[in-house]
Amino acid sequence: WALAPVIIVLLFIISGKDYILTESSARIIKHNTFFEPKAPFDYIILNPKLAVIQYDDYTLAIKIEGHEVPSEVFIVINGNSFRIKSNSSTTFEYLFKAVNEDILFQFLAGGYHSSFYTLKALPQPKVVDLNTFLNYPSYTKIKDEVIKNNGDLIIPEGTIVRWDASLQNTKNISLIFDESKHSQSTENTFTYKKQFFNSTPYQ
């Protein structure tokens, strides 16, 4: 009879379910404390960070690790449950489409809920106003002019072009040509001037 408890403990250890013994002991010691049922597995988010540029799609990847792995995993958003696509027996993916605000969510599998997580929607960087100043060469006898919010330009050879841009939700901007790139750290405005003798694409 004395060997019976020892044998039971050994069976738990061999089967890899010794966590049941340690958790049960804690519940007995703290008998006045309410314990939320603990899942026999963990949800591990594989993405480096829970953040996405506003209005972009975001693919959430998770992995399930533990003593028992569920075959189905759901994501719960605003009280609604959605099945997460399975990539393998332990990895799953869910696509958030056109994220326009922060999203609070949790996972559900085998009747067990995870903690809450937040997917942050980062304000979208944008050029809100663009003025292009054209300083024509003197041989053309054309009066200098300003073009608003237009990207394509048809100019005489030797014209000096200056871009003035107003920006939102950004920390840096780059003006890229075929042969060069100009980058600037800024949050509000951007100015760059260049003389042109050949046709060139830019962005």
Side-chain angles (χ1 to χ4, degrees):
W1 290 109
L3 289 174
V6 177
I7 293 172
I8 292 171
V9 170
L10 287 174
L11 288 174
F12 273 113
I13 293 172
I14 292 169
S15 66
K17 296 187 177 182
D18 52 308
Y19 66 94
I20 295 175
L21 296 175
T22 56
E23 289 175 8
S24 300
S25 300
R27 290 169 187 247
I28 292 170
I29 294 168
K30 300 179 181 179
H31 57 85
N32 289 327
T33 304
F34 172 75
F35 286 87
E36 184 76 22
K38 187 180 185 311
F41 51 83
D42 293 313
Y43 303 95
I44 299 172
I45 295 177
L46 302 178
N47 303 66
K49 59 182 178 180
L50 290 172
V52 59
I53 298 295
Q54 200 172 20
Y55 306 114
D56 281 357
D57 293 344
Y58 181 88
T59 300
L60 176 70
I62 67 168
K63 183 178 182 181
I64 305 294
E65 287 186 352
H67 307 287
E68 300 172 15
V69 177
S71 58
E72 290 182 332
V73 179
F74 296 84
I75 189 167
V76 183
I77 305 170
N78 293 328
N80 300 310
S81 299
F82 306 94
R83 189 192 305 273
I84 301 180
K85 186 182 87 172
S86 171
N87 288 336
S88 70
S89 60
T90 59
T91 58
F92 301 82
E93 276 187 0
Y94 181 78
L95 178 64
F96 292 93
K97 293 186 177 180
V99 180
N100 66 344
E101 60 183 7
D102 293 355
I103 298 176
L104 185 69
F105 66 91
Q106 64 180 158
F107 303 114
L108 170 63
Y112 298 98
H113 285 85
S114 72
S115 302
F116 281 97
Y117 301 91
T118 300
L119 175 61
K120 299 286 292 181
L122 306 177
Q124 188 178 48
K126 62 179 71 173
V127 176
V128 294
D129 194 30
L130 178 65
N131 292 322
T132 309
F133 296 84
L134 303 179
N135 183 0
Y136 295 114
S138 56
Y139 75 86
T140 65
K141 299 189 185 322
I142 301 175
K143 186 179 179 181
D144 296 346
E145 65 176 322
V146 179
I147 298 176
K148 287 184 169 290
N149 298 314
N150 188 13
D152 294 331
L153 302 170
I154 298 176
I155 55 176
E157 181 179 0
T159 300
I160 298 173
V161 180
R162 190 184 87 220
W163 288 272
D164 285 356
S166 297
L167 314 170
Q168 274 187 0
N169 308 320
T170 187
K171 292 183 178 178
N172 55 72
I173 184 172
S174 296
L175 187 57
I176 304 169
F177 303 98
D178 264 355
E179 77 289 350
S180 63
K181 174 181 177 181
H182 175 73
S183 297
Q184 183 178 321
S185 296
T186 179
E187 295 184 359
N188 301 310
T189 60
F190 169 83
T191 298
Y192 183 71
K193 183 167 62 175
K194 181 178 175 67
Q195 189 172 24
F196 289 90
F197 297 95
N198 299 294
S199 297
T200 181
Y202 75 94
Q203 65 185 98

